[in-house]
């Protein structure tokens, strides 16, 4: 596909910033427009290194605002969209589900409608790439993996909103014959991850000698993938998938939360020059998340076989690199954990 102008939504967030950087650096002939509302999770600091590149533009805007989105499509005439903008944190979706419906469902439908109108001369010339999650498949027991054929069974307001947005994307492909592609990825980790999520929250707390809150017994399992491997998968899928196709993306890297946190404590002790075992003492079991999915595990065989993608990094190495990034970027961490974050943290953890 020879796309020239690509709108990437949510490009100031965690995964979006890695995707924007990759496309800006690797495809100088593409014009990359980063469309982001800059919610609490959006941070232009994530893109300082590429913001002056001639093929990069930032546009502040809300995907829930249909008139604005239609105007942007009319003005920029994009050839493709890679859609990552979303409310992404499960705990926040439990507190405020409606915001997730607005951004994740209505926002996605607004983008689909704008694309449907702007691209009606020939849908096969344009691409709508929707970035989704493995959480749409629900929870696994002790065994098995999610494949692209697994039935949707979302449990949290977040995953229900993502599942709904996936259904709309498929419906626009089936009904209007738009060129839509979806990928469903497992848990990402790496630089610029907002410290409301397990790994960066724990790094921040260990650094500040604060309790590490583990929901329930810490037995829940997640399948962790290096964020740059996700960005590379999106690149490969964007350029090679057939219209209407879906790919699962995952690291074949399952960890029980408690085992992951123990490993993290060990790495942090080493990096901070603390005696081994010091950080583990901060582990605190707290009230479980409501509707907490037991286990996620992604079967990414289709992506590996058809498009040749494989994860590049071992988890132990990736986790150590992640810790290094947070310790070297104290200012970034301090900026995002002041003000609003403290209010969120109090609400989320004070009564657990
Ligand atoms: P994030 O919360 O770090 O970033 C979301 C970005 O979207 C932010 O920059 C925010 O400002 C922007 N945004 C939010 N509402 C918006 C709106 N109404 N209009 C415009 N921009 C808006 O999220 P993330 O972890 O980087 O996730 C990105 C995408 O990848 C999401 O769609 C998420 O569902 C999906 N995903 C995430 C993971 C993960 O482990 N984090 C795994 C699989 C899939
Ligand atoms: O699987 C992909 C999904 O991964 C993405 O779609 C979501 O956007 C992303 O947030 C992530 O969802 P999780 O709920 O799995 O991630 P989180 O980091 O919030 O939690 C990971 C695990 O750790 C989960 O089992 C809950 C647990 N947890 C989380 C927090 C924040 C704790 O035990 N304590 C905590 O304080």
């Amino acid at each position: 596909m020879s796309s020239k102008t690509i709108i990437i939504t949510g490009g100031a967030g965690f995964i979006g910033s890695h995707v924007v950087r990759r496309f800006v650096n690797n495809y100088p002939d593409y014009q990359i427009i980063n469309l982001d509302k800059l919610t609490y999770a959006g941070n232009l600091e994530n893109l300082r290194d590429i913001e002056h590149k001639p093929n990069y533009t930032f546009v502040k805007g809300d995907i829930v605002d249909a008139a604005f989105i239609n105007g942007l499509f009319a003005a920029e005439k994009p050839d493709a969209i890679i859609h990552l903008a979303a409310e992404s944190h499960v705990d926040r979706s439990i507190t405020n589900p409606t915001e997730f419906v607005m951004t994740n469902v209505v926002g996605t439908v607004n983008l689909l409608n704008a694309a449907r109108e702007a691209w009606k001369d020939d849908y096969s010339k344009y691409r709508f790439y929707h970035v989704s999650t493995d959480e749409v498949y629900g929870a696994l027991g002790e065994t098995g993996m999610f494949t692209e054929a697994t039935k949707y069974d979302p449990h949290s307001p977040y995953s229900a909103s993502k599942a709904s947005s996936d259904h709309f994307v498929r419906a626009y492909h089936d009904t209007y014959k738009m060129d839509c592609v979806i990928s469903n990825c497992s848990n990402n980790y790496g630089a610029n991850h907002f410290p409301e999520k397990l790994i960066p929250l724990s790094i921040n707390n260990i650094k500040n000698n604060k309790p590490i809150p583990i929901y329930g017994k810490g037995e829940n399992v997640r399948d962790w993938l290096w964020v740059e491997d996700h960005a590379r998968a999106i690149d490969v899928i964007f350029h090679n998938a057939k219209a209407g196709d879906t790919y699962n993306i995952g690291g074949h890297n399952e960890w029980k939360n408690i085992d992951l946190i123990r490993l993290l404590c060990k790495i942090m002790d080493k990096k901070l020059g603390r005696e081994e075992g010091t950080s583990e003492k901060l582990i605190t079991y707290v009230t479980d998340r409501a509707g907490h999915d037991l286990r996620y595990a992604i079967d990414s065989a289709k992506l590996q076989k058809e498009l040749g993608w494989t994860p590049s990094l071992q988890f132990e190495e990736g986790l150590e690199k992640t810790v290094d990034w947070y310790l070297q970027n104290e200012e970034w961490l301090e900026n995002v954990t002041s003000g609003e974050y403290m209010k969120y943290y109090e609400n989320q953890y004070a009564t657990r």
Side-chain angles (χ1 to χ4, degrees):
M1 185 176 177
S2 59
S3 297
K4 288 286 177 273
T5 298
I6 305 174
I7 294 179
I8 299 182
T9 72
F14 167 46
I15 301 169
S17 60
H18 290 274
V19 175
V20 165
R21 176 177 298 100
R22 183 176 179 91
F23 274 72
V24 165
N25 285 336
N26 290 6
Y27 303 102
D29 289 344
Y30 292 177
Q31 282 302 319
I32 302 300
I33 299 171
N34 172 13
L35 164 62
D36 199 296
K37 184 182 173 185
L38 299 183
T39 67
Y40 77 93
N43 187 349
L44 290 176
E45 289 298 321
N46 296 348
L47 291 165
R48 283 286 172 248
D49 56 323
I50 57 108
E51 67 184 1
H52 299 300
K53 296 249 177 164
N55 63 335
Y56 173 74
T57 317
F58 171 68
V59 175
K60 186 171 189 299
D62 187 345
I63 58 171
V64 177
D65 181 346
F68 164 76
I69 294 298
N70 293 340
L72 185 70
F73 269 70
E76 300 293 348
K77 301 191 176 16
D79 300 285
I81 181 158
I82 304 178
H83 174 37
L84 295 104
E87 286 295 331
S88 69
H89 191 37
V90 174
D91 291 330
R92 289 187 193 250
S93 82
I94 294 168
T95 314
N96 186 3
T98 306
E99 206 170 339
F100 284 67
V101 176
M102 293 311 294
T103 295
N104 299 359
V105 186
V106 177
T108 301
V109 173
N110 285 341
L111 292 168
L112 285 164
N113 284 337
R116 184 184 160 211
E117 175 61 26
W119 297 345
K120 63 186 174 196
D121 61 307
D122 180 356
Y123 288 132
S124 72
K125 292 196 305 193
Y126 309 93
R127 171 147 284 184
F128 192 108
Y129 185 151
H130 179 59
V131 175
S132 192
T133 170
D134 61 357
E135 299 201 12
V136 298
Y137 298 124
L140 294 163
E142 303 282 316
T143 58
M145 291 180 124
F146 299 132
T147 72
E148 288 80 0
T150 303
K151 202 165 136 293
Y152 275 32
D153 183 22
H155 297 136
S156 72
Y158 163 69
S159 54
S161 70
K162 291 296 291 188
S164 172
S165 65
D166 290 13
H167 289 319
F168 272 104
V169 173
R170 287 202 180 94
Y172 276 59
H173 168 73
D174 295 345
T175 307
Y176 308 113
K177 310 300 170 212
M178 284 170 57
D179 176 331
C180 299
V181 171
I182 300 178
S183 56
N184 298 84
C185 189
S186 62
N187 287 63
N188 286 215
Y189 72 97
N192 306 105
H193 204 182
F194 194 81
E196 64 190 348
K197 311 280 168 64
L198 179 68
I199 291 180
L201 181 142
S202 302
I203 292 174
N204 189 38
N205 284 14
I206 293 169
K207 184 169 160 271
N208 294 306
N209 274 307
K210 283 172 63 178
I212 309 165
I214 302 291
Y215 297 166
K217 294 181 179 155
E219 299 276 306
N220 302 68
V221 174
R222 296 291 182 266
D223 179 357
W224 293 93
L225 179 70
W226 176 240
V227 63
E228 291 183 27
D229 281 336
H230 187 188
R232 183 165 47 83
I234 289 173
D235 183 345
V236 169
I237 294 167
F238 175 76
H239 286 101
N240 298 290
K242 293 192 297 292
D245 226 339
T246 290
Y247 286 93
N248 278 355
I249 311 170
H252 283 285
N253 178 44
E254 293 180 49
W255 285 79
K256 269 190 189 162
N257 291 339
I258 187 62
D259 295 338
L260 184 161
I261 292 303
R262 288 205 177 107
L263 172 64
L264 182 66
C265 286
K266 215 180 247 179
I267 295 172
M268 292 287 289
D269 281 345
K270 192 173 79 184
K271 300 280 174 189
L272 295 170
R274 292 178 183 168
E275 194 183 321
E276 192 169 332
T278 308
S279 300
E280 267 202 31
K281 295 195 185 109
L282 298 169
I283 291 175
T284 310
Y285 293 94
V286 300
T287 310
D288 206 354
R289 174 184 278 174
H292 198 172
D293 286 336
L294 177 66
R295 176 172 163 259
Y296 303 144
I298 275 276
D299 179 349
S300 58
K302 180 181 172 193
L303 177 60
Q304 304 207 15
K305 218 167 101 196
E306 291 185 5
L307 304 185
W309 173 92
T310 49
S312 71
L313 209 60
Q314 285 299 311
F315 186 60
E316 287 78 354
E317 188 190 345
L319 195 58
E320 197 159 331
K321 276 174 89 141
T322 304
V323 169
D324 285 340
W325 187 86
Y326 281 92
L327 295 180
Q328 284 157 16
N329 288 273
E330 288 197 320
E331 205 180 317
W332 183 96
L333 193 55
E334 274 158 25
N335 286 343
V336 300
T337 51
S338 57
E340 277 303 309
Y341 178 85
M342 290 314 294
K343 273 194 236 156
Y344 161 79
Y345 197 90
E346 282 298 311
N347 283 338
Q348 182 61 26
Y349 294 99
T351 57
R352 286 196 106 93

